[in-house]
Amino acid sequence: MYPEQLVAPMRTDLTSAGFAELKTPEEVDNYLKDKKGTTLLVINSVCGCAAGAARPGVKWALQSSPKKPTNLATVFAGVDKEAVSKAREYTLPYPPSSPSIALFKDGELVHFVERHHIEGRNAQMIGQHLVEVFDEFC
């Protein structure tokens, strides 16, 4: 588990962009279960690909896309272990991956971006991909 003072700026990176932070399994269930509309869930991480590509790419997509998810949420891998475990139940059959980005429509997982799709790509590439995903599902 990472110390809170280390991850606080990484949490703020998404919460300041309007993401609800889910820290417990109950919060994850309450937020995701039977949710209407589209929900973007970012499984955040301290790694470099989260800082350099995932978080900035997600924010770029939300600023650039004419279509946007209705709901925004995040959990933090390596910090809020139980919340992340619960979130990963919703992203099955995909294996655990962080960072990662999930899009749900009316409670059903419709798109998932795994870590290996984030690594080696820049923020704009991630963002452009998400814009296309939002255009299809939102």
Side-chain angles (χ1 to χ4, degrees), residues 99-132:
S100 58
I101 306 161
L103 184 68
F104 300 88
K105 186 168 187 170
D106 295 330
E108 179 184 338
L109 181 65
V110 293
H111 191 78
F112 192 67
V113 180
E114 298 176 83
R115 178 188 175 111
H116 70 89
H117 293 122
I118 296 169
E119 291 175 312
R121 290 170 178 84
N122 64 36
Q124 189 168 2
M125 292 170 76
I126 302 299
Q128 185 58 47
H129 173 75
L130 291 173
V131 166
E132 292 170 12

Side-chain angles (χ1 to χ4, degrees), residues 18-124:
F19 283 78
E21 190 167 41
L22 311 176
K23 293 185 172 188
T24 68
E26 295 78 19
E27 289 176 343
V28 171
D29 268 342
N30 289 338
Y31 200 88
L32 294 179
K33 193 171 189 169
D34 303 321
K35 190 74 147 188
K36 296 297 180 202
T38 50
T39 300
L40 186 68
L41 174 69
V42 176
I43 299 178
N44 203 350
S45 172
V46 299
C47 73
C49 61
R55 291 191 304 265
V58 165
K59 293 188 303 182
W60 184 89
L62 290 170
Q63 292 171 348
S64 302
S65 181
K67 294 183 177 181
K68 297 172 182 32
T70 312
N71 311 290
L72 305 172
T74 182
V75 294
F76 209 115
V79 181
D80 301 318
K81 184 178 178 182
E82 294 83 12
V84 172
S85 292
K86 180 54 75 175
R88 287 179 172 153
E89 291 177 17
Y90 286 89
T91 62
L92 289 171
Y94 294 95
S97 181
S98 58
S100 58
I101 306 161
L103 184 68
F104 300 88
K105 186 168 187 170
D106 295 330
E108 179 184 338
L109 181 65
V110 293
H111 191 78
F112 192 67
V113 180
E114 298 176 83
R115 178 188 175 111
H116 70 89
H117 293 122
I118 296 169
E119 291 175 312
R121 290 170 178 84
N122 64 36
Q124 189 168 2

